[in-house]
């Protein structure tokens, strides 16, 4: 157990180092920089001397390794640096935006897990028409683009029926009802593919488990189908489902940029898109660091779920 924890810590630290270092390199290769963006906002023309002074003021005239070393030093002291444009602490800025992103991500994973698992179990128990419907729904969920589904939901539920707001985000502390209403459309949009993916994976895993010998023995002992499915088969089939939910969580963390921009949600994805457009290197690196920490946490959660579902994993 101690070795496994040590390996996890070392791999997580290595992942954080690689991701942040690559972020520095890739952003530096993009045309333009923050100094040009700031000067362009202040005036349509500026001299080369003004440009160099701004670069020196921002600290981006230093070699890239020196900039990264400075960023690592701040990180070791608990700081992600300062936003080049607003002067705000990046830790504070991301702290304000992580709530909306996590609300959408966790809401999507929860909805996909509950609905997808339920449909998968139903399909496994009642093969035939129900199975074909699940397959068709999975194919449709994979094929339908998120932005098209978002437009459809906004047109139907926000503009015509006026049931939910077309965009924006209400913090949980301000209003629980408003928070839930602001999450319905983005979560529903992102859950379409997730529900289909989880349902298909659950059905395949449950079909395999229900045909196993121990299930036949349980039936011979007179256990009801409901008891067999809930208490025995579902737990044995949960491994692949947990993997799918972990992959879904990771993909949502990096793929919610379009949805956050579409629904005007002030999350990490929207912040990353804005920082990329202005070449705000400290902010981009801070967002990448935050995303990586969330991915590491998601992987840890999946690993712990495996160990809970199958205690033998922890002894390996």
């Amino acid at each position: 157990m101690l070795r496994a924890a040590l390996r996890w810590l070392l791999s997580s630290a290595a992942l954080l180092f690689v991701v942040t270092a690559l972020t520095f390199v890739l952003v530096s290769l993009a045309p333009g920089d923050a100094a040009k963006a700031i000067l362009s906002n202040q005036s349509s023309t500026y001299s080369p001397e003004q440009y160099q002074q701004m670069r020196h003021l921002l600290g981006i005239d230093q070699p890239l390794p020196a900039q990264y070393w400075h960023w690592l030093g701040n990180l070791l002291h608990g700081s992600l640096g300062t936003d080049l444009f607003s002067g705000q602490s990046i830790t504070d800025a991301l702290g304000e935006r992580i709530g909306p992103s996590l609300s959408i991500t966790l809401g999507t994973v929860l909805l996909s897990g509950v609905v997808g698992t339920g449909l998968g179990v139903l399909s496994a128990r009642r093969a035939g028409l129900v199975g074909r419907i699940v397959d068709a729904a999975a194919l449709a969920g994979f094929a339908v683009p998120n932005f098209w589904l978002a437009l459809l939901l906004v047109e139907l539920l926000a503009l015509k029926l006026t049931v939910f707001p077309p965009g924006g985000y209400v913090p949980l502390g301000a209003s629980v009802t408003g928070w839930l209403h602001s999450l319905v459309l983005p979560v529903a949009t992102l859950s379409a593919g997730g529900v289909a993916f989880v349902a298909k994976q659950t059905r395949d895993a449950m079909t395999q488990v229900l045909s196993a010998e121990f299930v036949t023995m349980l039936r011979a002992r007179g256990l009801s189908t409901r008891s067999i499915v809930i208490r025995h088969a579902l737990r044995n089939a949960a491994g692949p489902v947990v993997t799918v939910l972990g992959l879904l969580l990771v993909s949502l963390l990096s793929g919610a940029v379009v949805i956050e921009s579409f629904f005007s949600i002030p999350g990490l994805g929207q912040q990353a898109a804005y920082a990329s457009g202005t070449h705000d290197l400290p902010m981009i690196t801070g967002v990448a660091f935050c995303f990586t920490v969330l991915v590491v946490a998601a992987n840890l959660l999946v690993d712990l779920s495996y160990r809970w579902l199958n205690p033998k994993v922890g002894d390996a």
Side-chain angles (χ1 to χ4, degrees):
M1 189 67 178
L2 182 60
R3 288 185 178 181
L6 183 59
R7 285 197 301 267
W8 179 81
L9 287 173
L10 291 176
S11 62
S12 300
L15 179 62
L16 289 171
F17 175 78
V18 170
V19 169
T20 53
L22 282 176
T23 301
F24 260 78
V25 173
L26 293 176
V27 173
S28 68
L29 296 177
D33 56 28
K36 289 183 179 180
I38 294 174
L39 292 173
S40 298
N41 291 334
Q42 295 176 353
S43 174
S44 57
T45 58
Y46 52 87
S47 65
E49 291 76 15
Q50 290 176 311
Y51 172 64
Q52 294 300 329
Q53 289 176 359
M54 181 59 69
R55 283 177 56 85
H56 180 72
L57 181 64
L58 298 176
I60 59 176
D61 59 337
Q62 302 177 10
L64 196 62
Q67 295 183 51
Y68 184 64
W69 183 255
H70 178 69
W71 182 85
L72 282 179
N74 288 334
L75 179 64
L76 293 176
H77 289 85
S79 172
L80 293 175
T82 305
D83 188 353
L84 297 181
F85 290 81
S86 65
Q88 182 185 16
S89 168
I90 292 177
T91 304
D92 294 338
L94 297 183
E96 296 172 357
R97 291 178 173 268
I98 194 171
S101 293
L102 285 180
S103 297
I104 295 175
T105 301
L106 296 179
T108 301
V109 172
L110 179 62
L111 181 62
S112 300
V114 173
V115 177
T117 301
L119 289 175
V121 171
L122 179 63
S123 176
R125 289 184 57 189
R126 301 180 181 179
L129 179 60
V130 178
R132 289 193 291 270
I133 291 176
V134 170
D135 284 339
L139 183 60
F142 296 144
V144 174
N146 283 339
F147 68 87
W148 182 85
L149 182 58
L151 286 171
L152 182 64
L153 292 176
V154 169
E155 176 69 21
L156 178 62
L157 300 178
L159 300 181
K160 289 187 177 181
L161 300 180
T162 63
V163 179
F164 302 107
Y169 177 78
V170 178
L172 178 61
S175 170
V176 176
T177 303
W179 175 72
L180 290 173
H181 275 73
S182 66
L183 292 179
V184 169
L185 294 185
V187 167
T189 301
L190 292 172
S191 296
V195 168
F197 195 20
V198 173
K200 193 172 188 316
Q201 190 68 44
T202 303
R203 191 200 69 177
D204 294 342
M206 283 293 295
T207 301
Q208 183 177 1
V209 172
L210 290 175
S211 62
E213 292 184 1
F214 81 93
V215 173
T216 304
M217 295 177 61
L218 291 174
R219 285 173 177 161
R221 291 170 56 186
L223 271 71
S224 64
T225 302
R226 181 178 180 180
S227 177
I228 292 174
V229 169
I230 296 177
R231 297 180 59 184
H232 301 280
L234 189 56
R235 180 162 184 169
N236 282 274
V241 179
V242 168
T243 301
V244 169
L245 290 176
L247 292 174
L248 178 63
L249 177 58
V250 171
S251 65
L252 288 172
L253 290 172
S254 58
V257 177
V258 175
I259 296 302
E260 288 185 1
S261 299
F262 183 90
F263 288 103
S264 300
I265 296 175
L268 294 175
Q270 189 185 72
Q271 181 64 60
Y274 177 77
S276 298
T278 56
H279 302 279
D280 191 345
L281 181 56
M283 180 61 74
I284 296 173
T285 310
V287 173
F289 176 82
C290 190
F291 275 138
T292 308
V293 170
L294 293 176
V295 169
V296 169
N299 289 332
L300 176 61
L301 184 61
V302 170
D303 184 63
L304 293 176
S305 300
Y306 275 137
R307 294 172 187 272
W308 176 71
L309 291 168
N310 184 9
K312 293 181 180 179
V313 174
D315 300 332

